[in-house]
Amino acid sequence: MYEDKTLVCKECGAEFVFTAGEQEFYAEKGFQNEPQRCKACRNARKADKKADREMFTAVCAGCGKEAKVPFRPREDRPVYCSECFAKMKEER
C-alpha cells in the first residue's frame, strides 16, 4: 500500500527516505503532514530544546536520592527520580 518516498530536508537540504513503514505509522497516529526534516536535523532540534530546559533539584520520595526534574517541585506533591518513576509506571 505505501511506498518509500524521497523527501528533501527543509533544514539542511539533504534528501532522506520516508519509508513505507514510517508512512504507515504516521497514518496510524493520524498525522496528516509528511516529515519536513531528516533524522539528523530532527534529533538536533530535540537536543536544542532539551538544552534550553531549566532543571530543578528535588529529593526523590521513593529512594531519597537527589533528582533533577524539568518542573518546579511543590511541597504538597511527591517527586520521584527517573528510576523510581519508571518502576511506578511498570507496576500500573
Side-chain angles (χ1 to χ4, degrees):
M1 174 142 72
Y2 296 102
E3 292 183 20
D4 290 358
K5 289 184 183 179
T6 301
L7 303 176
V8 178
C9 177
K10 77 175 197 177
E11 203 71 27
C12 69
E15 290 187 349
F16 65 98
V17 177
F18 185 35
T19 67
E22 291 170 329
Q23 291 174 51
E24 188 173 350
F25 173 80
Y26 271 52
E28 286 174 7
K29 295 293 183 183
F31 300 150
Q32 296 184 354
N33 298 323
E34 295 177 340
Q36 301 205 358
R37 293 176 180 83
C38 66
K39 181 79 169 149
C41 289
R42 286 195 311 261
N43 289 343
R45 282 175 58 94
K46 286 180 190 176
D48 284 347
K49 286 181 183 178
K50 284 186 178 182
D52 293 342
R53 185 184 297 177
E54 183 178 1
M55 300 296 281
F56 299 89
T57 304
V59 176
C60 176
C63 66
K65 288 193 251 177
E66 185 177 287
K68 297 272 187 195
V69 294
F71 56 88
R72 186 177 308 280
R74 296 182 357 201
E75 296 297 323
D76 62 333
R77 307 274 323 238
V79 175
Y80 299 95
C81 66
S82 56
E83 292 171 9
C84 290
F85 186 76
K87 287 178 191 172
M88 289 174 47
K89 283 183 77 173
E90 288 175 7
E91 293 173 2
R92 287 185 181 178

